[in-house]
């Protein structure tokens, strides 16, 4: 195998594929990155059996072939090369990978590439195409609500529900729930699967180009794949029954509040300073007469108090929340103003973006003395 | 006590004084910041008995007085306030500190300010004035060589040696040694003291203004203070006998090498990638015929090789170093080219800045097979 490619392109490819390299691999080959040099491009692969990445990259290939090298060292070496162009070649006889750029030469021991578990296309029961920015938004507005408690696996992932032209993503940690919905132009059939939050974080990060690209999503009963022009990602799914989230969403709210998102976020952030060392991180909110008054107190530290203007329709209400859940959702709301819906001090509250019904966040209040 | 001051100024003051707050205080009062409001300014103080900070700040003082509040919470609250102006007042009857800015109000429980161990001016045996940038350079070029092994305290600090108009700072971890010298305009007497590296890191960070300011340094047998117009810092000294560093510095070098600092730093950085997981982090250097060849190898990972142009006077030599010691010193060298002085493969090597005799770094080579 012998090839030449752009260092910047290779660094970008490794930044993505490198996420598939297992830090503590089950078998040594999983610590490796697999590279296959084909006619005028190369393919990089890494997998830890949970998640797999394949990335295609333009290259001048002088001699086709395949290698597997330590993912960690290959990535570190490429990142530090001095020049703009990288030459990689493999001498079968010595089983060593040579990497050259300007006056720098590295050799890396190689692994047997035939041992590498190459990604197989999954045979899906359902497949649809979605714009990368729409997919990223579905993920961004829900994945932060996933639980990190591995004891209850279904809550560590997002439910992807496809129902005709409607794509929904839902996450809950039992204290709060986020639901984001989007429409595709085409009908897609029906499926409900639970995707691990880890793969969603990776997918969200990858789709950061300024121009949206189409992503083909293919789902089977135990696997999902995301495919763009040069990237193919697969992940195992989480088995189990996701709770009936529609039961959790209040059908209506007595008190409706319109408030500037950034002002509310800053106020919650400040007022929760006093309560943040407490497990429940409680802030109290009083909605009345065109104002939201936020307070928190700790017998060991002190008190905080802040007042915000807001448009309040319906009866005044005093209610308390875990500030962290409000901070989390206020970070992902894109609209200038947000809508709070409230019923009773111990009934779930809702938060929406102003001007859109595609997103709702439901949060359970905290009981206070 | 009641006062109003600029939030930005107070944040800057707390960033400095906050370094004196003990994270795990011996007594509760040491977790506090002491604030004294005087005629038209306030003084902030924090100390953990090892290090103490006092900072003076302009303020509109309506009522003089003193308070002590939790350093951590006071700093977090001030950092997050919304407005540009902060009002702080203390009601003696309730023993609570009120902090206000725009529509935000905080109260913090307070401690008894009379319990706070206020900084006392040290009665020095020697005192001199040095420009802040000169002091920062003395520190920067030596403190990175300090040992972190608390078992041998004298190596965890820098020796400050005052000898007439010559101020020297020296640090060693027994494998390498850094010596930086500077001249003052005036004669200062003679003293040798060992300053803990921790306080030197703080002092170096504080002197970052673009315009150098005079710093008055006062030394006693067990304490040192640094004083600028609005800052006063004291530290305990390290007791013990610093080794005779002049014996360590080779009087002459057989082989003298002139090389571009940034090119050598980049090459050492790259080549050491292969050896960095090894304790000794060995890179081999071959100086010959106008070239430096750097190599490293690891039986488990691979090899690295790089060649650099250099001006070499004297016999060729092969020598090996712990790459970390070279990386450390190459970060603090300010000259475009640096000078390497070499004698034998197992004799200490020297590194200087091109065009200046004020700095030398001596590093012991590593024995290789």
């Amino acid at each position: 195998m012998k090839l030449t490619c752009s260092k910047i392109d290779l660094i970008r490819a490794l930044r993505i594929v490198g996420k598939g390299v297992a830090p503590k691999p089950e078998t040594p080959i999983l610590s490796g990155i697999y590279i296959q040099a084909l006619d005028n491009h190369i393919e990089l692969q890494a997998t830890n059996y949970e998640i797999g990445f394949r990335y295609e990259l333009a290259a001048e290939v002088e001699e086709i072939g395949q290698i597997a090298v330590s993912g960690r060292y290959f990535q570190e070496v490429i990142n530090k090369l001095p020049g703009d162009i990288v030459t990689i070649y493999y001498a079968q006889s010595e089983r060593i990978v040579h990497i050259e750029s300007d006056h720098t030469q590295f050799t890396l021991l190689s692994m047997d590439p035939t041992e590498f578990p190459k990604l197989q296309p999954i045979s899906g029961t359902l497949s649809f195409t979605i714009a990368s920015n729409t997919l990223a938004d579905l993920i961004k507005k829900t994945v932060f609500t996933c639980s990190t408690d591995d004891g209850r696996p279904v809550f560590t992932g997002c439910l992807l529900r496809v129902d005709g032209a409607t794509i929904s993503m839902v996450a809950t940690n039992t204290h709060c729930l986020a639901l984001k919905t989007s429409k595709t132009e085409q009908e897609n059939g029906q499926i409900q699967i639970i995707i691990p939050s880890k793969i969603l974080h990776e997918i969200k990060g990858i789709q950061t180009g300024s121009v949206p690209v189409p992503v083909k999503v293919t789902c089977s009963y135990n696997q999902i794949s995301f495919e763009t022009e040069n990237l193919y990602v697969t992940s195992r799914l989480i088995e189990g029954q996701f709770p009936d989230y529609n039961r959790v969403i209040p059908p209506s709210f007595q008190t409706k509040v319109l408030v500037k998102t950034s002002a509310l976020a800053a106020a919650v952030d400040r007022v929760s300073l006093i309560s943040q060392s407490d497990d429940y991180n409680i802030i109290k909110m009083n909605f009345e007469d065109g104002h939201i008054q936020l307070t928190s107190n700790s017998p060991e530290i002190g008190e905080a108090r802040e007042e915000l203007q807001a448009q309040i329709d319906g009866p005044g209400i005093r209610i308390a929340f875990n500030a962290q859940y409000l901070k989390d959702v206020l970070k992902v709301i894109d609209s200038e103003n947000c809508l709070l819906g409230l019923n009773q001090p111990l009934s779930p509250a809702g938060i929406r973006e102003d001007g859109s019904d595609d997103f709702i966040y439901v949060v359970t209040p905290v009981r206070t003395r």
Side-chain angles (χ1 to χ4, degrees), chain A residues 116-127:
Chain A
F116 187 86
K118 285 187 277 295
L119 263 62
Q120 303 302 323
I122 70 172
S123 49
T125 57
L126 182 143
S127 137

Side-chain angles (χ1 to χ4, degrees), chain A residues 133 136-138 140-141 180 261-262 328-338 351-356 359:
Chain A
N133 56 338
D137 203 38
L138 281 168
K140 173 183 124 179
K141 291 216 161 76
K180 168 74 185 168
T261 311
S262 59
D328 289 346
V329 68
L330 290 167
K331 274 183 205 144
V332 304
I333 284 185
D334 293 315
S335 57
E336 194 186 339
N337 294 301
C338 61
I351 303 180
R352 289 185 180 278
E353 292 183 311
D354 184 27
S356 156
F359 173 68

Side-chain angles (χ1 to χ4, degrees), chain A residues 24-42:
Chain A
K24 290 175 184 166
E26 285 174 44
T27 59
I29 191 72
L30 295 187
S31 70
I33 284 184
Y34 169 84
I35 304 172
Q36 182 165 30
L38 300 160
D39 267 356
N40 54 2
H41 70 277
I42 56 174

Side-chain angles (χ1 to χ4, degrees), chain A residues 38-51:
Chain A
L38 300 160
D39 267 356
N40 54 2
H41 70 277
I42 56 174
E43 255 186 35
L44 289 87
Q45 291 195 24
T47 181
N48 57 22
Y49 288 138
E50 292 289 327
I51 304 179

